[in-house]
Amino acid sequence: MTFDYSQTFRGSSGLPNTDNIPGSEMRYRDAFNLTLRQELDRDPSVFVMGEDIAGGAGRFEKDGEVSYEEKDGFKPLDAWGGPFAATKGLIQDFGTDRIKDTPISEAGVLGAAIGAALTGTRPVVDLMYFDFVTVAYDQLLSNAAKSRYMFGGQTKVPLTMFARSGAGTGHAAQHSESFYSMLVHIPGLKVVVPSDPLSVKGLLSASIRDDDPVFLVNDKKLINLNGFVPDQEVVFELGKGRYLKRGSDVTLIGMAYTSEICRKVAEKLEESGVSCEVVDMLSLSPLDEDIILESVSKTNKVVIVDEDTPMCSMASEISSIIADKGFDYLDAPIKKVNSPHTPVPYNRDLEFSFMPSEERVIKAVKEIVEY
Amino acid sequence: MEKEKLQWLFESMYRIRRFEETMLEQTFKGKSMGVTHSSDGQEAGPAGVCAHLTDKDWIGSTHRGHGHCIAKGLDTKKMMAEIFGKSTGQCKGKGGSMHIADFSKGMLGANAIVGASIPLAVGAALSSKYNGTENDSVGVAFFGDGATGQGVLHESMNLASIWKLPVIFVCENNHYAEATPVEYAVSIEDISDRAAAYSMPGVTADGMDVFDVYEVAGEAVNRARKGDGPTLIELKTFRYHGHFHADDPKKYRTPEEDEKWKDRDCLKIFEEKVIANNSMDLESIKKIKDLIDTEMIEAVEFAEKSPMPNIEELYSDVYVKYKD
Ligand SMILES: Cc1ncc(C[n+]2csc(CCOP(=O)(O)OP(=O)(O)O)c2C)c(N)n1
Ligand SMILES: [Mg+2]
């Protein structure tokens, strides 16, 4: 039996049945690693660059022994395997040309990746923490996203970038960003936000195979989330959301980790007799307007949950689409649950009040369910 | 060197060492609310440089910033409380280990974006030149070998050079950026050679020997105070611990390399030298150690007993004034 992931999307009734499908339960991070491996195997023009994606560059190892020179039976050192082991094991299987550790030079490295993408390769760049995007933002905005347009369609930039986002791990203000909006705002760039192991597989494959620059955001809070992943190739269509649960009273819209929050809230509220429908955006640019409107036309009420700060956020964008194209469907005000308009605080209590939480989503649902 | 200076150097190094050990212990007990980066092994750098500075001089720092803070005179109680995320912390518990700052002490803040604090030290020097207070107030940028990969370092060095600003660029070359060895990521042997490209003096010093650091830094600070412009100092040093609290350096370093550096421990070198030339005795060294050991116990107690910040703190300090 093969897995029909098209059922995952718009019009379907929640996640597809995986009984009798060959595959296994694994963590989000393992699904990421396996998929990257699969894409490296599939296309020799794909290569990966980033800081410590192997770790200990220029050195070698054998059975845990580190050597500073190349010796018989020793392999390139894989001391870190990337933050959260995203690229663990790849250097030893694919070699140092395809798994390339870099100095701490985000602007130069991303720029070089764009140049390489313009000239026939398909680079994948690990920017480590989402916050470091801004160090390379000029390359992303002015070169990656604009080259095709300003050169009149002569060229394309088949580049994939990824980085770890989000608060909740005590990394404080400079390592906890969720500024999806700062990427989605850029014409020429695509942005995807997987929310579980299956969607990591489907979206990472799709991003690497896509001919445009795509940014895949890994929410740190999802890295160890478990889920079923089929053995077969899974390539999601970029720009399509999916239903995690069908329901009739209120639509909950999530992205990355907030989809997980919405799913849990829907389960809890089901017990108290409120039927929530959960839409997981998966792709923020292109954005699946149809699934949003399809769901709201049925439930007539919506809560959008977004960890980004509220001004000009995805939640604002989705609200504006509903207000514009779905005004007649609405029976209650659109509710946004964002982080506040502040940097991310260090103290854990402050940090957890900063992020959208199940409690805050439940409160928002209660405000509109009886409206 | 006068006795007080000598004692100050030892106190600072020992205080940093003990703070890092204590802070790591507490991190492993779950008392830190986030990642911590120990600078144990590198104490001679911050001590030897900051010995020439006053509260009116400014330093910029990094994710590995506890040593810089201590050498600049920050209170270890408030530092520990910050790591514990408490309201009595140096930044009210809002910054954490990677963002300790004290503007009253000329400490512009630890910075978790590699390279990002370098231009801030240049800016502090720009202020002092603007105000005509170069003699009184210089800027010192502390950064790692890894940070030399960032364009902003090169921009900053060029700015400081063309404007002849009172800046000292201090590269603590501990030979690793996370797990990446310096010989892979940096195209030259001595990072101080980069100075030539910006027509400023560049010197490499033994970062394990506080006397060497002290001498080299003294010259650079004097140059800056006299209005002769910036200097690049490279300190060859080593961090004993992993990159962050949970990193195991054995994954990328040989035990021989660790031993080679620990053999040249800065506290050991200091003690050997002062005993040999009779400038300090074992008893006064022991007295300092005892005082600081007690200080660490008190710092943990203070942090432990301090209250959490009020939840309203989440919304404060974003702007000076936004709207009513
Ligand atoms: C712009 C940026 N890129 C990457 C990182 C992740 N990171 C944190 S510390 C570090 C290594 C820094 O090495 P170095 O400058 O030598 O300082 P050290 O840690 O050795 O003190 C890296 C890559 C970061 N914090 N900021
Ligand atoms: Mg270093």
Side-chain angles (χ1 to χ4, degrees):
Chain A
M1 245 166 103
T2 57
F3 174 62
D4 179 12
Y5 51 86
S6 70
Q7 287 174 42
T8 301
F9 299 105
R10 190 160 65 229
S12 71
S13 54
L15 286 177
N17 188 346
T18 56
D19 293 348
N20 302 322
I21 304 291
S24 47
E25 288 282 321
M26 66 178 76
R27 293 176 304 179
Y28 177 107
R29 60 160 86 186
D30 300 321
F32 187 93
N33 183 287
L34 273 178
T35 308
L36 199 48
R37 181 177 287 281
Q38 168 205 304
E39 294 303 314
L40 283 157
D41 263 332
R42 179 180 169 273
D43 182 349
S45 68
V46 174
F47 69 98
V48 191
M49 294 197 283
E51 293 155 22
D52 292 291
I53 58 171
R59 297 188 176 171
F60 303 87
E61 75 181 329
K62 187 184 171 191
D63 307 326
E65 185 194 335
V66 174
S67 167
Y68 295 2
E69 281 112 49
E70 193 161 14
K71 286 202 242 171
D72 242 17
F74 278 64
K75 289 183 164 173
L77 185 53
D78 189 24
W80 272 29
F84 306 107
T87 42
K88 188 81 195 155
L90 298 183
I91 194 166
Q92 300 194 342
D93 291 340
F94 295 98
T96 50
D97 285 342
R98 298 189 70 194
I99 307 298
K100 227 173 169 47
D101 268 350
T102 72
I104 310 172
S105 308
E106 287 83 5
V109 169
L110 187 62
I114 297 164
L118 287 167
T119 50
T121 56
R122 305 185 85 84
V124 177
V125 177
D126 180 356
L127 283 161
M128 199 179 285
Y129 284 82
F130 201 33
D131 311 61
F132 310 157
V133 169
T134 53
V135 179
Y137 198 74
D138 171 53
Q139 289 297 328
L140 180 57
L141 172 70
S142 296
N143 284 339
K146 294 179 180 170
S147 285
R148 180 172 174 80
Y149 185 84
M150 67 189 177
F151 300 138
Q154 290 180 72
T155 189
K156 59 184 186 180
V157 184
L159 164 72
T160 305
M161 293 151 281
F162 66 97
R164 293 117 192 114
S165 71
T169 54
H171 276 81
Q174 296 181 333
H175 279 58
S176 305
E177 276 292 350
S178 298
F179 48 48
Y180 308 127
S181 50
M182 279 176 49
L183 301 187
V184 169
H185 193 71
I186 302 176
L189 178 68
K190 296 175 180 171
V191 183
V192 298
V193 283
S195 61
D196 63 3
L198 171 65
S199 53
V200 160
K201 179 163 185 165
L203 290 171
L204 181 58
S205 282
S207 303
I208 294 174
R209 296 181 194 191
D210 198 88
D211 279 339
D212 289 312
V214 185
F215 205 113
L216 185 148
V217 190
N218 302 122
D219 193 311
K220 290 182 214 127
K221 296 180 285 299
L222 292 170
I223 300 271
N224 289 319
L225 184 78
N226 262 298
F228 178 80
V229 178
D231 294 338
Q232 75 188 64
E233 277 197 348
V234 179
V235 187
F236 280 9
E237 185 180 332
L238 298 183
K240 279 199 166 176
R242 65 177 173 179
Y243 290 109
L244 292 180
K245 179 181 171 300
R246 304 309 300 253
S248 51
D249 296 335
V250 180
T251 298
L252 307 181
I253 299 180
M255 57 207 80
Y257 181 68
T258 63
S259 294
E260 189 54 18
I261 296 182
C262 292
R263 198 185 55 73
K264 287 188 186 149
V265 165
E267 261 172 33
K268 284 194 181 156
L269 289 179
E270 195 79 22
E271 290 159 21
S272 52
V274 180
S275 166
C276 295
E277 179 150 289
V278 179
V279 173
D280 177 14
M281 290 318 308
L282 290 180
S283 171
L284 300 181
S285 178
L287 184 68
D288 190 347
E289 294 189 10
D290 293 345
I291 196 170
I292 296 167
L293 295 169
E294 178 181 85
S295 180
V296 177
S297 72
K298 192 179 71 179
T299 61
N300 315 116
K301 288 169 185 170
V302 60
V303 178
I304 309 156
V305 192
D306 177 6
E307 193 177 311
D308 201 351
T309 52
M311 288 173 87
C312 305
S313 63
M314 281 318 295
S316 315
E317 178 63 24
I318 293 169
S319 302
S320 84
I321 290 166
I322 299 168
D324 179 14
K325 299 181 181 161
F327 187 73
D328 291 338
Y329 305 145
L330 289 172
D331 284 344
I334 301 167
K335 286 287 159 193
K336 299 195 311 180
V337 178
N338 280 94
S339 298
H341 186 60
T342 78
V344 180
Y346 170 70
N347 171 277
R348 192 171 299 138
D349 297 344
L350 300 187
E351 188 184 23
F352 279 83
S353 3
F354 171 90
M355 297 184 288
S357 59
E358 289 176 38
E359 296 70 48
R360 281 174 61 199
V361 177
I362 290 172
K363 185 164 164 273
V365 171
K366 293 208 163 136
E367 276 171 33
I368 55 171
V369 73
E370 304 288 354
Y371 200 89
Chain B
M1 197 183 295
E2 350 58 281
K3 186 135 199 215
E4 270 154 44
K5 216 24 144 204
L6 259 188
Q7 290 207 354
W8 187 92
L9 286 176
F10 182 72
E11 266 176 41
S12 300
M13 290 195 294
Y14 189 73
R15 183 173 282 119
I16 298 171
R17 174 70 51 88
R18 291 293 299 123
F19 184 85
E20 296 295 38
E21 287 171 357
T22 311
M23 166 297 286
L24 270 180
E25 238 170 69
Q26 296 299 319
T27 303
F28 288 119
K29 280 191 189 162
K31 297 294 181 181
S32 166
M33 289 186 170
V35 289
T36 54
H37 303 78
S38 168
S39 67
D40 58 344
Q42 305 184 190
E43 296 84 350
V49 173
C50 295
H52 300 282
L53 307 179
T54 73
D55 287 355
K56 289 188 200 152
D57 297 305
W58 295 96
I59 66 165
S61 170
T62 71
H63 57 285
R64 201 175 307 289
H66 305 153
H68 309 135
C69 293
I70 289 173
K72 202 71 179 54
L74 272 69
D75 178 352
T76 49
K77 283 197 177 77
K78 290 188 186 170
M79 288 175 61
M80 194 66 79
E82 185 61 33
I83 293 170
F84 279 43
K86 297 299 182 72
S87 66
T88 53
Q90 192 65 64
C91 308
K92 304 184 199 162
K94 293 164 84 164
S97 165
M98 294 196 284
H99 304 298
I100 300 177
D102 186 346
F103 285 75
S104 72
K105 294 263 161 61
M107 204 289 169
L108 289 165
N111 204 306
I113 302 297
V114 169
S117 68
I118 300 168
L120 306 185
V122 173
L126 185 61
S127 265
S128 78
K129 183 145 186 166
Y130 188 82
N131 293 323
T133 54
E134 277 161 291
N135 188 29
D136 229 21
S137 176
V138 302
V140 177
F142 283 104
F143 54 95
D145 47 292
T148 67
Q150 290 289 28
V152 72
L153 169 66
H154 301 271
E155 297 172 23
S156 300
M157 286 179 67
N158 189 53
L159 282 178
S161 180
I162 62 167
W163 291 336
K164 252 192 167 186
L165 297 178
V167 190
I168 300 94
F169 296 93
V170 181
C171 178
E172 298 177 286
N173 178 1
N174 62 9
H175 298 79
Y176 292 87
E178 294 182 349
T180 300
V182 65
E183 67 270 15
Y184 174 82
V186 178
S187 61
I188 41 171
E189 172 87 24
D190 290 325
I191 288 169
S192 61
D193 287 351
R194 295 267 192 247
Y198 305 101
S199 23
M200 64 175 81
V203 275
T204 293
D206 179 353
M208 306 308 269
D209 182 349
V210 76
F211 297 109
D212 199 30
V213 178
Y214 182 82
E215 191 186 322
V216 162
E219 279 167 32
V221 172
N222 271 340
R223 258 177 60 77
R225 294 208 196 282
K226 279 195 314 213
D228 291 343
T231 305
L232 170 63
I233 297 175
E234 176 194 15
L235 304 175
K236 303 266 197 207
T237 183
F238 197 71
R239 60 165 156 75
Y240 293 166
H241 199 79
H243 169 65
F244 67 107
H245 65 277
D247 176 39
D248 175 7
K250 287 199 280 300
K251 288 185 178 160
Y252 49 87
R253 297 194 314 220
T254 60
E256 296 78 50
E257 184 179 13
D258 283 50
E259 269 154 39
K260 187 190 93 189
W261 286 98
K262 284 186 179 167
D263 239 22
R264 306 202 56 256
D265 183 77
C266 62
L267 295 169
K268 197 172 119 184
I269 292 182
F270 180 94
E271 288 185 36
E272 281 167 9
K273 284 198 178 174
V274 295
I275 300 291
N277 67 15
N278 267 329
S279 48
M280 261 173 99
D281 54 37
L282 279 174
E283 202 172 324
S284 50
I285 287 178
K286 165 117 185 16
K287 222 157 100 192
I288 293 175
K289 285 185 177 175
D290 289 347
L291 276 174
I292 291 174
D293 290 348
T294 310
E295 179 186 323
M296 293 306 138
I297 295 169
E298 288 167 0
V300 171
E301 274 171 14
F302 174 80
E304 191 85 70
K305 284 198 191 124
S306 293
M308 290 289 181
N310 186 308
I311 290 296
E312 287 308 306
E313 282 293 348
L314 171 56
Y315 308 100
S316 71
D317 306 322
V318 183
Y319 301 90
V320 174
K321 180 179 156 102
Y322 193 39
K323 57 181 185 185
D324 292 318

